[in-house]
Amino acid sequence: MYINGEWLHAKSEKTREIINPFNQEVIATAVEGNAEDAKTAIQAARVAFDEGSWSTMPASERGAIVNKIGSLIERDLEELAELETLDTGKTVQESREDMADIANVFFYFAGLADKDGGEVIASPIPNSESKVVREPVGVCGQITPWNYPLLQAAWKLAPALASGNTLVMKPSEITPLTTVKVFELMEEAGVPKGVANLVLGAGKSVGAELASNHDVDLISFTGGIETGKTIMQAASDNMKKIAFELGGKNPNIVFADADFETAVDQALNAVFFHAGQVCSAGARLLVEESIHDEFVEELVERTKRIKLGNGFDEDTQSGPMISAEHREKVESYVEIGKNEGAKLVVGGKRPEDPELEDGFFYLPTIFTNCTSDMRIVQEEVFGPVLTVETFQTKEEAVQLANDTIYGLAGAVWTQDLSKAEFVAARLRMGTVWINDFHPYFAQAPWGGYKQSGIGRELGREGMEEYTELKHIFRNKQPKPIKWFK
Ligand SMILES: NC(=O)c1ccc[n+]([C@@H]2O[C@H](COP(=O)([O-])OP(=O)(O)OC[C@H]3O[C@@H](n4cnc5c(N)ncnc54)[C@H](O)[C@@H]3O)[C@@H](O)[C@H]2O)c1
Ligand SMILES: C[N+](C)(C)CC=O
């Protein structure tokens, strides 16, 4: 753990083994912090913020430090990518792309650091001046999940630092490796002591302390809805600001006039990329009834050919689930789907390949004959499971797509631009892709409608989450008003 500029063991001296989900080998032993460690880190961040040298440092200097972190990530990209693949099982090619994205996130927010000089507004009061400025929120608690460990950390670290906050980060207890490494790089880049602190450990101890502690001014969380609700309740105790990136059950709408080859290819990628462990996975395929049979037949054929394996093998297309526990959750959803009457057309079990037997693998799975009242359609499985529904009109497609508590992302495939725009305008989601699936980048805000989140990461809006707005009014000719004689 990294607290107040020092690398420390947990006070309890407890440790946790970090497991490679491909073969269950122990790849590292991490210290296991608890609420006491979190309190120490929060105190360090509080002192660093209140002392003020980071928040009042010229923004261009802060930006230069954030930029340096991006350069160091580029320098150590291969090492970081390998760590991420060891820790999550994702393909090393995907990890390399994540690391390149992550460096860009630091570059982007570094560039924003000195761009907001505040705004002079038109005061209605004579002989006065009014301006609105943005200031850092203060001490930020940041909690991240296991599916994109460093990417989700970067979306929080870069804007928080660039806008002058101090922070305490808690990565997922099962995938801390790349986050630890990036804290080493932040130290090397010159982030002053106490400004960025790292506490490893479980959500119920370290995470809960970050959520409830009164010295934390903002809690930024990426993870599941149920955890989000718990954190929201704890955060209400001191009314800290909250920024939440939660789950999704994202529709992928394919009209009959879509380019067939591209739509099939991308429907596979939408749901099975990273074994479906993606918040924005296209887990609900809504396909126009007239092409359903042909589309599903082609999908099934290609699904059977997906190559599962070791993320370090260049021909592996998908790795394992993150843990035994998570695979069991996916398996239980497949049973639920079968019992609800959905038709299992491919997958639905663990692979039989003996080379995969030590990993937490699960075959890519497709259910047809699905209806929106089924749990398998409504709930986030967060694994390689696709449900297929049909529609006849664009209005029906929109109605089915929006029939969910989630609102993270969705896609529409058609060659008719007016139809695409009709759908895009009506989807109640933070991101809509037209004839594509999955793109996200530092310049565009990311986040959810409805129960998929509160606030935004990335883009200017992702920086603004880490600021408070202040109105400064100056009376240029103060004189007594004599209300009270
Ligand atoms: N919207 C997005 O951008 C986005 C991105 C990635 C993942 N996700 C979501 O994350 C979920 C998967 O991640 P997960 O299984 O790690 O989620 P999770 O909610 O189980 O855990 C996320 C983090 O919260 C911590 N935590 C757990 N209990 C806590 C508590 N009581 N108080 C404070 N912290 C606590 C965990 O230790 C972990 O660090 C999925 O629902 C996925 O959709 C969303
Ligand atoms: C936000 N994203 C797509 C990078 C990861 C979601 O799990």
Side-chain angles (χ1 to χ4, degrees):
M1 298 191 295
Y2 185 68
I3 299 177
N4 208 21
E6 283 186 75
W7 289 94
L8 300 173
H9 284 285
K11 286 189 178 133
S12 69
E13 298 191 356
K14 287 192 176 151
T15 57
R16 176 190 292 266
E17 290 182 338
I18 306 300
I19 306 291
N20 179 346
F22 167 68
N23 54 17
Q24 303 189 48
E25 276 176 13
V26 177
I27 48 173
T29 305
V31 303
E32 178 75 1
N34 60 22
E36 289 310 305
D37 298 295
K39 281 184 185 141
T40 309
I42 292 165
Q43 223 24 57
R46 184 80 264 161
V47 170
F49 186 79
D50 292 345
E51 180 270 322
S53 58
W54 179 250
S55 61
T56 60
M57 176 186 280
S60 56
E61 281 179 34
R62 268 202 320 268
I65 292 175
V66 175
N67 198 70
K68 176 102 188 276
I69 300 168
S71 301
L72 295 174
I73 289 168
E74 280 189 330
R75 183 194 70 189
D76 292 350
L77 188 143
E78 194 56 30
E79 182 188 349
L80 283 161
E82 287 177 14
L83 277 178
E84 201 77 303
T85 290
L86 275 175
D87 213 353
T88 62
K90 63 170 69 181
T91 68
V92 74
Q93 187 191 342
E94 185 191 342
S95 293
R96 287 184 189 121
E97 287 172 16
D98 283 356
M99 296 311 143
D101 273 355
I102 289 163
N104 282 332
V105 166
F106 280 94
F107 295 144
Y108 174 76
F109 284 109
L112 279 190
D114 63 357
K115 297 298 177 290
D116 187 344
E119 188 189 1
V120 175
I121 57 171
S123 168
I125 298 172
N127 294 316
S128 74
E129 182 186 82
S130 239
K131 62 180 177 179
V132 177
V133 294
R134 286 192 177 272
E135 296 183 341
V137 175
V139 174
C140 303
Q142 304 186 322
I143 302 177
T144 53
W146 48 260
N147 65 331
Y148 282 75
L150 190 54
L151 189 128
Q152 299 300 161
W155 291 14
K156 300 185 191 305
L157 292 170
L161 290 174
S163 49
N165 297 276
T166 64
L167 62 96
V168 180
M169 170 160 281
K170 189 207 92 65
S172 167
E173 54 273 40
I174 52 180
T175 55
L177 301 188
T178 47
T179 308
V180 172
K181 169 76 186 166
V182 156
F183 269 75
E184 289 175 13
L185 299 184
M186 292 200 295
E187 186 180 30
E188 186 180 341
V191 175
K193 73 173 191 160
V195 168
N197 304 275
L198 172 69
V199 182
L200 307 183
K204 287 200 164 70
S205 54
V206 179
E209 184 61 36
L210 291 178
S212 61
N213 193 296
H214 286 209
D215 275 322
V216 176
D217 302 302
L218 175 152
I219 187 95
S220 173
F221 166 72
T222 301
I225 280 191
E226 291 312 315
T227 315
K229 287 180 186 171
T230 307
I231 292 176
M232 198 169 181
Q233 278 174 348
S236 70
D237 207 37
N238 70 325
M239 286 293 172
K240 55 174 67 71
K241 286 172 144 260
I242 54 174
F244 285 175
E245 297 292 342
L246 308 174
K249 189 76 180 182
N250 313 284
N252 187 19
I253 304 170
V254 180
F255 283 93
D257 66 353
D259 179 81
F260 188 85
E261 167 58 28
T262 310
V264 170
D265 172 74
Q266 291 246 21
L268 282 179
N269 199 50
V271 63
F272 295 135
F273 187 70
H274 189 19
Q277 301 169 119
V278 182
C279 56
S280 46
R284 284 189 295 146
L285 176 66
L286 306 178
V287 61
E288 193 164 348
E289 198 171 84
S290 60
I291 60 163
H292 170 271
D293 293 355
E294 190 189 357
F295 201 88
V296 168
E297 190 183 334
E298 191 58 33
L299 265 186
V300 169
E301 278 316 302
R302 295 186 194 199
T303 299
K304 287 179 187 161
R305 299 202 294 266
I306 293 175
K307 173 89 175 71
L308 304 182
N310 185 346
F312 286 101
D313 292 345
E314 292 298 330
D315 62 346
T316 293
Q317 295 171 325
S318 185
M321 310 272 81
I322 191 68
S323 64
E325 188 190 10
H326 188 54
R327 179 170 62 177
E328 281 163 22
K329 178 186 153 192
V330 172
E331 288 174 326
S332 75
Y333 268 113
V334 170
E335 287 312 305
I336 288 169
K338 287 197 261 183
N339 292 335
E340 288 176 314
K343 184 175 167 198
L344 180 67
V345 290
V346 66
K349 58 182 183 181
R350 298 179 186 188
E352 279 150 19
D353 182 348
E355 286 190 12
L356 303 181
E357 72 186 8
D358 291 333
F360 306 123
F361 286 93
Y362 196 75
L363 286 177
T365 296
I366 301 180
F367 280 111
T368 59
N369 294 23
C370 294
T371 50
S372 59
D373 55 344
M374 293 176 174
R375 285 183 62 195
I376 192 73
V377 173
Q378 288 296 333
E379 296 177 20
E380 187 187 43
V381 176
F382 216 53
V385 178
L386 178 69
T387 63
V388 185
E389 296 166 82
T390 57
F391 65 86
Q392 290 179 332
T393 63
K394 59 185 188 307
E395 290 79 8
E396 191 189 0
V398 168
Q399 186 271 322
L400 288 171
N402 284 333
D403 185 7
T404 166
I405 60 165
Y406 293 103
L408 189 57
V412 52
W413 296 86
T414 172
Q415 300 195 51
D416 177 344
L417 187 56
S418 66
K419 196 153 60 181
E421 287 180 347
F422 176 94
V423 173
R426 287 161 180 77
L427 291 185
R428 303 278 302 150
M429 284 146 212
T431 296
V432 176
W433 296 293
I434 297 176
N435 293 332
D436 211 325
F437 209 102
H438 282 319
Y440 53 85
F441 35 81
Q443 293 78 359
W446 177 269
Y449 281 30
K450 301 199 271 185
Q451 294 190 36
S452 283
I454 295 174
R456 291 292 180 270
E457 290 192 310
L458 301 183
R460 283 193 172 276
E461 299 77 4
M463 184 91 153
E464 288 170 3
E465 291 288 341
Y466 285 96
T467 62
E468 291 275 19
L469 272 180
K470 181 179 279 177
H471 172 210
I472 302 174
F473 173 86
R474 182 166 77 92
N475 185 341
K476 292 183 185 168
Q477 291 182 347
K479 52 180 184 284
I481 51 176
K482 298 194 174 159
W483 181 281
F484 297 110
K485 300 286 187 273

